[in-house]
Amino acid sequence: MQPDSIAEVNDGSGEAAARPVTSKKIWIDLDNSPHVPFFAPIIEELKKHGYSIMLTARDAYQVCELADRFQFTYRRVGRHWGKHWILKVFGTCLRAVQMLPIVAREKPHLAVAHGSRSQMLVSKLLRIRSLCILDYEFARSLTLFKPTWSMTPEIIPFSESARKALHILQYPGIKEDVYVPTFKPDPSIKSRFGIDDRDVVAVVRPPASEAHYHDPKSDELFAATIEFLGRAPNVRVILLPRNRRQGDFLKRSWPVLFATGRFSIPDHAEDGLNLIWFSDLVISGGGTMNREAAALGVPVYSIFRGKIGAVDRYLANDGRLVLLENAEDVRTKIVLSQRARPLTPERTNSAALTTIVDHIISVLKYPTKSEQI
């Protein structure tokens, strides 16, 4: 597909380089922490194609702190409203109302997000075409939030007729293949956390207790995991709570383990990939960190007990993810030993990033109903 025009720019070497220029603007909404590293290379590639990017970010989890680390220019809109579904609906609608004047003024040609309901609602109200990227087929949505297009990993099965009827696009690999290949380890993290070379380092992510898909069985598995790790000698545990409330709860629940210094919580947002890379194992109640560990070749155990999606089934069947189902699995399946860590991660030439960017550009160039007349 040809860009609207070509302009000459200086690439920093003194030589003029051709770069496509287009008047098209893309609105990307960062709704959750994993969306920041996921969209970073996508934004970079879209800018190379000449598209302008408008960013909004929800003040929830570590979204804004991570966006600052990536030096994004964004508008902070909305926050997290807790786990009760009534508050969730209210918060989604309120955030949409807060977005409306901003988006109406900016007039983007396409809205793109990884499951942002507020964005889909605004897109409907302002008649902006939307592309919703998803990697968990059991995420609940409403007809009101139905996007113009959806995009999922090819691992999630859809019939050809369903893909056409629902406007589903797909990409190879998994979401984490988009950004993991560009990861560069920073060994300074070991000194910052006081990690001893003799320690077995476990990075642990608690379940998303405020998410709509949360299953209380995940909490039981998490408690069993903490007790198991707490009894094991020479194990250093870095806990990554999802918000301050959850972090405070962990400290109140296991004060002795924190007092010993063997359990700790970072005091600011860390590069999750870097933490995973310098750990010996990962145990998580959510999807993204599990999949990041699998992509980096780090032993990973899932304590998520909601409906298991196709991506996690694929990783489990491939031997890259262990699904824990009960407390006995925690005691018998988790291996506490140092891993043989290569100097650098294995570089894979994943087509995920290229395919996603190509799909976004294809959607942008797809004529609107008015243009088809």
Side-chain angles (χ1 to χ4, degrees), residues 207-209 214-224 246 303 305:
S209 55
H214 178 63
D215 187 324
K217 293 179 182 177
S218 297
D219 296 326
E220 297 172 11
L221 277 179
F222 176 71
Q246 193 175 58
I303 54 174
R305 294 311 303 151

Side-chain angles (χ1 to χ4, degrees), residues 47-99:
K47 285 182 175 179
K48 287 179 182 177
H49 284 82
Y51 295 98
S52 61
I53 305 296
M54 166 195 166
L55 278 178
T56 52
R58 184 167 65 130
D59 190 8
Y61 309 111
Q62 293 88 32
V63 175
C64 292
E65 192 172 351
L66 287 170
D68 291 338
R69 284 173 62 94
F70 277 80
Q71 299 183 329
F72 286 164
T73 300
Y74 63 92
R75 292 175 174 86
R76 188 184 306 232
V77 186
R79 63 180 179 85
H80 198 285
W81 280 82
K83 62 182 180 180
H84 196 285
W85 71 270
I86 294 178
L87 290 177
K88 286 182 181 294
V89 172
F90 173 77
T92 295
C93 295
L94 177 60
R95 185 166 186 255
V97 169
Q98 294 169 328
M99 285 176 166

